[in-house]
Amino acid sequence: MEGISRQTVRDYIANGISTIKGMSSTISAQVVALLIEAQTESGINGPVMEIGVFEGRMFVLMALASEPGEKLFALDTFRHPDDHQIDRFRANLDRFGIDKSRVIEKKGSSIDHGPWKLRQEMGVPARFIHIDGDHSYNGVMHDLMISHKCMSDSAIICMDDVMHPYYPGLTLAVHDYLRANPSLAVFAVVDRASIVAASKYMICHRSKLEFYQAIIQDRIGNHIRHTQGDFMTNRALIVMPDAQKR
Ligand SMILES: C[S@@+](CC[C@H](N)C(=O)[O-])C[C@H]1O[C@@H](n2cnc3c(N)ncnc32)[C@H](O)[C@@H]1O
């Protein structure tokens, strides 16, 4: 059963993830899985949401790593690059045995979703949210806002593609949002393949900063760079595949 077998998650990272189109790296998949598993061990539960699921590469991982009873919110226009995107997404869920009754598909632009209705549908606030949809400044500001309003006090927002040279508006939006909302903090920056390509920011409520940093130190300490990211109000761990060598 999904959520129960850690081996299923490891197998998916080792062999399954590369069979679904998408960009997320192995290291970011490992970090996402270990954080969701650590949340479960610490009694942190709730729905999981992804804005921009594409064909399900990260979504399947989050589904496998979370608990069987937890809802999975999938937001996407489902028109990228054609109207059959949703069929490929659903086929991938089937292929990896994801229980479809957990999945709430929201077809259309995330800009059309307000936080209150989403939060109401969730029942309880979300524990993990991956943002990887509209990469424009306004789109990211909106997606951060709805995620912020839907997250629990112990939740994580994982923001993709920060510092990607193609998406300066995304990077500006993330930093503007963080500056305007100092109760949120980046606890780790996870490298894709090279730190200059793009990173995922792992964001939590500031009160949970040390809690999540300790989890990463404990479980994946060999991937932490010696130098930390200076966010002025706190330092973030830098997690990368060959951290000790660089
Ligand atoms: C980079 S892909 C996501 C990759 C995916 N997270 C994965 O793990 O493979 C971006 C996705 O965002 C979706 N998207 C773009 N603009 C959007 C919007 N305004 N609302 C919802 N989804 C959007 C696209 O349809 C596309 O599927």
Side-chain angles (χ1 to χ4, degrees), residues 77-97:
T77 53
F78 288 112
R79 306 190 74 176
H80 181 71
D82 55 50
D83 284 342
H84 295 293
Q85 183 197 342
I86 200 160
D87 304 325
R88 294 187 289 273
F89 171 70
R90 289 174 181 164
N92 284 327
L93 299 186
D94 284 342
R95 203 152 63 81
F96 290 98

Side-chain angles (χ1 to χ4, degrees), residues 173-239:
V174 173
H175 293 117
D176 281 355
Y177 196 88
L178 289 170
R179 194 184 274 268
N181 293 276
S183 63
L184 297 178
V186 177
F187 64 91
V189 177
V190 183
D191 179 29
R192 175 175 282 165
S194 139
I195 198 70
V196 292
S199 307
K200 285 191 194 293
Y201 273 12
M202 297 293 176
I203 301 168
C204 65
H205 282 287
R206 195 166 290 282
S207 58
K208 288 283 170 189
L209 184 74
E210 286 166 13
F211 171 76
Y212 282 122
Q213 288 189 332
I215 287 168
I216 291 189
Q217 300 266 18
D218 270 6
R219 300 184 189 210
I220 202 165
N222 58 325
H223 289 299
I224 297 175
R225 193 95 171 94
H226 299 302
T227 308
Q228 298 190 334
D230 182 1
F231 277 84
M232 298 187 310
T233 50
N234 69 274
R235 287 179 181 272
L237 303 176
I238 306 292
V239 185

Side-chain angles (χ1 to χ4, degrees), residues 20-24 50-59 75-80 85 106 108-111 130 132-135 139 143 160-161 200:
I20 301 184
K21 268 199 204 161
M23 297 298 286
S24 291
E50 183 170 35
I51 305 177
V53 298
F54 190 42
E55 299 190 4
R57 186 178 196 154
M58 184 59 83
F59 193 84
L75 277 67
D76 206 296
T77 53
F78 288 112
R79 306 190 74 176
H80 181 71
Q85 183 197 342
K106 298 276 179 194
S109 174
S110 60
I111 208 92
H130 186 221
D132 193 13
D134 183 348
H135 284 43
D143 290 349
D160 195 41
D161 278 335
K200 285 191 194 293

Side-chain angles (χ1 to χ4, degrees), residues 87-203:
D87 304 325
R88 294 187 289 273
F89 171 70
R90 289 174 181 164
N92 284 327
L93 299 186
D94 284 342
R95 203 152 63 81
F96 290 98
I98 309 304
D99 173 3
K100 290 273 202 30
S101 69
R102 294 176 62 195
V103 180
I104 294 116
E105 289 169 354
K106 298 276 179 194
K107 189 168 189 239
S109 174
S110 60
I111 208 92
D112 296 328
H113 293 286
W116 310 120
K117 192 157 180 291
L118 262 182
R119 172 65 187 78
Q120 203 175 26
E121 272 186 73
M122 285 180 174
V124 292
R127 61 137 123 186
F128 196 98
I129 300 171
H130 186 221
I131 304 179
D132 193 13
D134 183 348
H135 284 43
S136 71
Y137 181 92
N138 288 339
V140 172
M141 286 299 254
H142 174 82
D143 290 349
L144 280 166
M145 181 276 290
I146 58 175
S147 300
H148 190 182
K149 298 230 185 306
C150 287
M151 75 192 282
S152 73
D153 290 347
S154 305
I156 294 170
I157 295 176
C158 172
M159 181 73 228
D160 195 41
D161 278 335
V162 187
M163 295 181 291
H164 194 303
Y166 290 178
Y167 311 115
L170 178 151
T171 301
L172 276 176
V174 173
H175 293 117
D176 281 355
Y177 196 88
L178 289 170
R179 194 184 274 268
N181 293 276
S183 63
L184 297 178
V186 177
F187 64 91
V189 177
V190 183
D191 179 29
R192 175 175 282 165
S194 139
I195 198 70
V196 292
S199 307
K200 285 191 194 293
Y201 273 12
M202 297 293 176
I203 301 168

